Amino acid sequence: MPVSRRGRGSRLAGSRTAASSLPRATALSRKNAGRGRHSAVQVPPESKPQADFRLGKRLQETAAGDGRNSQQALRDRMSSKQGTCSPEVVTIPCASDSDSGSVDLQLGNLEAIKKGSSSIELTDSDIPDIPGLHWESLSDSPRHLTHQNPLNEAIVEKLIQSIQEVFSGELKGELEKLTFLRSLSSLSQALPYNETTESFICSHITDIVHTLHVLVQEEHPCSLLSPVHQEVFVTISDLSYQDVHLLSGSEDRAELFSLIIRSIITLPSVKTLTQMWEIVPNGTCNTECLYRQTFQAFFEMLQSLVVKDPHLENLDTIIKHMDPWLQSVKDHERERATASMAQVLKCLSRHLILELPLRFHRLGHLVALMALLCGDPQEKVAKEAGEGIHYLLDITLRLKYTTRDKKNQQNLKRALTKFREFLELSSSAVKCFYSCPFRIAQIFEGFLDSNELFQFVTTTFDTLRNLKHPCTQRSAGELLLTLAKNAESRFEKVPEIMGVICAHLSIISQSTVRQQIISTVSLFISRPKYTDVVLSFLLCHPVPYDRHLTEVWRTLVVELPSTTWILWRLLRKLQKCHNEPAPEKMAYVAVAATDALYEVFLGNKLRAASFRLFPQLLMTLLIQIHHSIGLTMSDVAIPSGLYAEEEVSSEVTPLCFAMQAIKALLLRTWCWQEFNIMEKNKGWALLGGEDCHLQGVFLLAKALLEKSPLLAQKVMYLLVPLLNRGNDKHKLTAAGFFVELLQSPVAKRLPSIYSIARLKDWLQDGNNLFRMISLRGLYNLVGHKKRREDIKSLLPYILGSLRETDEKIVQSAIQILLKLVKTMDFTTLASMMRTLFSLFGDVRPDIHRFSMILFGAAIKSVKNPDKKSVENQVLDSLVPLLLYSQDENDAIAEESRRVLTICAKFLKWKLPKEVYSKEPWHVRPIETGTICRFFVLQGEN
């Protein structure tokens, strides 16, 4: 089909002539530009031009007056197998005379900020005068730079007929494909004034998209053998300039866009192509030109999408499709994608006119991606990214001014001030960006809102899954740490950010970068606003923690003032579990917090806080041990989905976490002697025993009081107001530790309300353990002479304890009475002796023996005026004591003989020596008779 081909001007005035991975061919000056698609220059045979696969400058062409025969024009514009130029004549895209190629010079609107006033008031009246926001008129855009004479009706009909034949038929040859594409492109020029054209194209969008899809698919995937790709890009560009978008708006259009990008980005690298050209030298010039012009058309196609993009929806689409290629592991693919994005951003920066509502919500993602590419190991990629981020900064400034409100106005002013300071210090922003990527985070953080900050973080980590080069990892670490330091108060999705960090720690191999990431976590956790949020997230992971989370806990880098706060908040997570009535299952956070404390102690980064909070830490962990006794992980309320069933080991128990945490605490706070005492006396086994837990508590308290009295005193003062808080296990452990510390000299200074009164309450408690603890406390307190008078007021309760069935309670009561017996009045003594007499012959050997000991002590304590009153009690005890002197328990027998001696002395008797014989009476009848006669004789007297 003969097609009248319009000339094509430079659609994007000011596009740069860019260096590529091969040397740049010499550019033509504007005066050499012809009326065809490209200018041409004679190239000497001995000097072959090198391919440049990035965008150069299309020459501006004048379409008016083009009177060539359309068939001839078509032949002139394509040579089926010879390419677009012969070995003698090479078509080279040219830069305009005004194109400096320097991004810093081109971005005069950004540099103008440097010269602006230092005070910027963001009011509606003076927004247009803000330095750096001088927008270009749309009349300067490429779409208006090309002027074309209108097509007459006959040509339009022929073009439509030609295109319809393709829809109903099949494109077999290259000539047919090119004819179809150029017909469609030419027809697009009639859209502004021809209703038939508009109706035809709008009603056949699906057919056009499908046909283009087929054309691209049919091209060779590993090389460019025809200009079909180039013509597809040009056609899409022409339609885009007429507001007919073939690459967005439906699923089939998105698939076409994805296919186009993949087809051009995945072409072989320059190195591979060079080797191919060396093998086939005859086609070198043609192939090089074809490649260069194809890439030029591709870049122009992308730019045509954003020349008029007031809502930024086309930019969003481009980023979506370009995203995987910007993260490609292949250097040449990544370089092409980065160069493409740089050109898109440059074009958008120069022709940006924004209208609300904006449909671009990926700013944080794009900034992070380009920032990471600025640290790319490939220098060309880094430079392209540096230029792209510079243009993006210009776009961001205007975008944020457009969407500003009173809430973020102050942040915007601060960000702009910081940006001006940056420009004053930097001679070349682009160079600064790709040589120091962390500067990007410093500059952009003030312009990003909380959602965009979250995008920045997630994109940085997601990109590391693909780009694992050490350079990229280092850039990521610097970017995240810089962002966290500068914008720490403006993050809102902190749990989500922690989730991203924890999920990606495993892919970061460099230790320095891992520490930077952990430092980022440290910044969040040390800020009171986020501390509980971060802790809650970290505690919602399986225990024992994996090596990555273990590293986080152990290597937290926090400034000294914040260490106590963090440890305190972590401790409170555990303490809250102890304040509630014991549930059916232990809260999972209790186990997780215990394991976290263990890891923190091992890391020893919070040592100062560990010393400061030692009393609270010690008591909380002891209470956790009490709660954990006898439990397995099946007794813990594990959040759904946290573990797979097979992941929970039977060897892992809540008790083991609590035990290892308290051991680590003692060692990290230099309580080595206390630790050794517990080791030697099997204290850990006592602590973890269901029936002997309090014995372990007593042992540890006694060791602490003996070896670290100052720490013991701090614990005692802590416990005074806390003894009646929490559930029963909480109270029992706290009370047990407290009463053991009453041996301290400091205890005698405690007000009675905190000591005697509390012990009295426990002595009347229905729980035997509390009564036993109370008696132990009274025994320790009775050692302070000043406290004995107060304790004597409790004698009725203590004497009542002698009738208890619990052996430990009775023993404890006897031990206290032994210390008070000398101070008792006669009435109390007499009552006590009657009770003790009833315990003679108790089946519990220790009770039997201790009752006789106290009985003997009571007899000694009776004063002369009262002796006659208790004489009958003493006489009544003689026969039982005489009989028990023959008990098979040697200790009881020995104590009986000793008490008999006391009784005889009280009665002023002299016992026969046979009474003290240890021989059984049945084997010595004579001695037995002597003893009996003695007692019969004394009875008669």
Side-chain angles (χ1 to χ4, degrees), residues 260-308:
I260 285 174
I261 291 177
R262 182 171 66 251
S263 68
I264 196 72
I265 297 292
T266 57
L267 287 171
S269 65
V270 174
K271 182 178 179 181
T272 303
L273 292 172
T274 305
Q275 293 172 350
M276 293 170 57
W277 294 335
E278 290 175 354
I279 296 173
V280 189
N282 291 336
T284 298
C285 291
N286 293 343
T287 307
E288 289 179 1
C289 289
L290 183 58
Y291 259 72
R292 182 166 57 252
Q293 292 167 0
T294 301
F295 271 87
Q296 172 183 319
F298 174 69
F299 288 140
E300 289 192 14
M301 179 198 75
L302 293 177
Q303 294 178 5
S304 71
L305 302 178
V306 297
V307 165
K308 188 179 179 182

Side-chain angles (χ1 to χ4, degrees), residues 608-628:
S610 300
F611 275 103
R612 185 172 297 175
L613 296 175
F614 176 82
Q616 294 92 331
L617 289 166
L618 180 67
M619 291 312 305
T620 304
L621 290 173
L622 281 173
I623 293 166
Q624 176 62 17
I625 287 175
H626 197 172
H627 281 84
S628 303

Side-chain angles (χ1 to χ4, degrees), residues 220-233:
H220 195 284
C222 298
S223 183
L224 283 176
L225 303 179
S226 75
V228 171
H229 261 113
Q230 177 184 350
E231 289 299 332
V232 168
F233 301 153

Side-chain angles (χ1 to χ4, degrees), residues 25-26 28 38-43 47-50 84-93 285-286 288-289 292-293:
T26 306
L28 293 175
H38 303 289
S39 296
V41 62
Q42 297 292 332
V43 179
S47 176
K48 294 181 179 180
Q50 299 296 314
T84 54
C85 52
S86 67
E88 291 79 16
V89 180
V90 180
T91 303
I92 305 174
C285 291
N286 293 343
E288 289 179 1
C289 289
R292 182 166 57 252
Q293 292 167 0

Side-chain angles (χ1 to χ4, degrees), residues 110-217:
L110 288 184
E111 297 294 343
I113 295 177
K114 202 171 182 179
K115 305 172 184 178
S117 63
S118 58
S119 176
I120 297 179
E121 295 296 333
L122 304 182
T123 61
D124 293 338
S125 61
D126 58 7
I127 285 296
D129 299 326
I130 293 176
L133 298 185
H134 304 305
W135 304 334
E136 293 186 24
S137 169
L138 186 61
S139 61
D140 296 329
S141 77
R143 178 180 173 185
H144 298 274
L145 296 177
T146 301
H147 303 282
Q148 188 95 13
N149 282 340
L151 301 178
N152 58 45
E153 288 293 334
I155 294 177
V156 168
E157 288 297 327
K158 290 181 180 179
L159 290 174
I160 290 176
Q161 182 182 353
S162 172
I163 295 169
Q164 280 182 322
E165 290 174 358
V166 172
F167 292 156
S168 58
E170 183 180 358
L171 291 172
K172 296 182 178 179
E174 181 179 309
L175 181 59
E176 291 182 10
K177 295 177 181 179
L178 294 175
T179 300
F180 165 75
L181 292 169
R182 289 168 180 168
S183 297
L184 184 59
S185 182
S186 296
L187 183 63
S188 69
Q189 303 309 306
L191 279 168
Y193 54 83
N194 190 293
E195 292 183 0
T196 303
T197 301
E198 182 180 3
S199 175
F200 173 77
I201 290 181
C202 290
S203 62
H204 289 81
I205 290 291
T206 303
D207 295 326
I208 295 172
V209 170
H210 173 72
T211 305
L212 294 180
H213 196 283
V214 171
L215 291 178
V216 176
Q217 271 190 325

